[in-house]
């Protein structure tokens, strides 16, 4: 008998050309840094950067409990670095969310709101060179080099 409910997803990781730019004086910056500060959350983010996954698949791959994975997924989703892209069903028929790294790349920089327009332009010009990573952290000297590379 064929399955009525999908047990796997056909979702893919997609990227946008328009980055979200977070500065030092932005509350969202703190949320992103806090969400990624845990080793487990960081590994979840890395896994989702490669392929969409359900909490149970993430738990299996990282040898973590599903409850622990759910905790970190909630934090990462609240920070806006991951999102639900699809739904599939377990063998028992339970609905499972499929998570993926957020479509828009994110640029975190240790500058102020006034620096945002020039950094956003610079990021767009080199985004194709950065490849798959979705978060770039620029600070101090690297900011001025990054902006003048425009």
């Amino acid at each position: 008998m064929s399955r009525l409910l999908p047990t796997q997803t056909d979702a893919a990781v997609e990227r946008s050309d328009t980055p979200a730019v977070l500065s030092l004086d932005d509350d969202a910056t703190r949320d992103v840094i806090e969400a990624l500060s845990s080793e487990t959350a960081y590994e979840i983010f890395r896994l989702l950067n490669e392929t969409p996954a359900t909490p149970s698949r993430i738990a299996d791959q990282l040898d973590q409990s599903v409850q622990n994975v759910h905790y970190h997924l909630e934090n990462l989703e609240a920070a806006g670095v991951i999102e639900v892209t699809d739904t599939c069903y377990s063998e028992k028929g339970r609905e499972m969310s499929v998570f993926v790294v957020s479509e828009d790349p994110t640029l975190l920089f240790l500058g102020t709101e006034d620096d945002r327009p020039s950094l956003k332009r610079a990021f767009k010009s080199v985004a194709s060179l950065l490849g798959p990573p979705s978060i770039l952290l620029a600070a101090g000297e690297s900011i001025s080099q990054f902006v003048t590379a425009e």
Side-chain angles (χ1 to χ4, degrees):
M1 181 174 160
S2 66
R3 296 205 167 275
L4 297 175
L5 303 172
T7 58
Q8 294 186 11
T9 182
D10 58 359
V13 177
E14 296 180 16
R15 301 283 187 254
S16 168
D17 290 339
T18 308
V21 180
L22 303 176
S23 62
L24 185 60
D25 52 357
D26 189 342
D27 290 337
T29 302
R30 179 182 298 268
D31 296 340
V32 170
I33 291 170
E34 286 177 0
L36 290 169
S37 65
S38 156
E39 180 72 27
T40 301
Y42 183 76
E43 290 303 318
I44 290 170
F45 180 79
R46 285 181 49 152
L47 177 69
L48 293 176
N49 200 40
E50 295 172 14
T51 184
T54 63
S56 60
R57 180 168 178 252
I58 295 167
D60 288 345
Q61 290 209 340
L62 299 180
D63 196 27
Q64 297 284 325
S65 70
V66 175
Q67 294 82 3
N68 189 36
V69 168
H70 271 289
Y71 169 80
H72 291 291
L73 288 171
E74 288 173 10
N75 291 339
L76 291 166
E77 187 176 24
V81 296
I82 66 168
E83 58 192 36
V84 174
T85 189
D86 198 5
T87 302
C88 64
Y89 297 86
S90 71
E91 296 294 325
K92 296 179 180 179
R94 291 191 178 107
E95 185 175 286
M96 300 184 299
S97 296
V98 178
F99 290 87
V100 66
V101 170
S102 295
E103 204 172 286
D104 293 334
T106 301
L107 172 64
L108 299 177
F109 71 99
L110 303 179
T112 64
E113 179 73 26
D114 297 336
D115 299 325
R116 188 177 294 213
S118 59
L119 280 170
K120 199 167 184 176
R121 283 192 308 275
F123 184 74
K124 277 184 175 180
S125 70
V126 297
S128 62
L129 301 175
L130 296 177
S134 295
I135 294 184
L136 172 69
L137 175 61
E141 184 86 15
S142 62
I143 289 177
S144 60
Q145 291 173 357
F146 190 63
V147 172
T148 57
E150 197 171 31

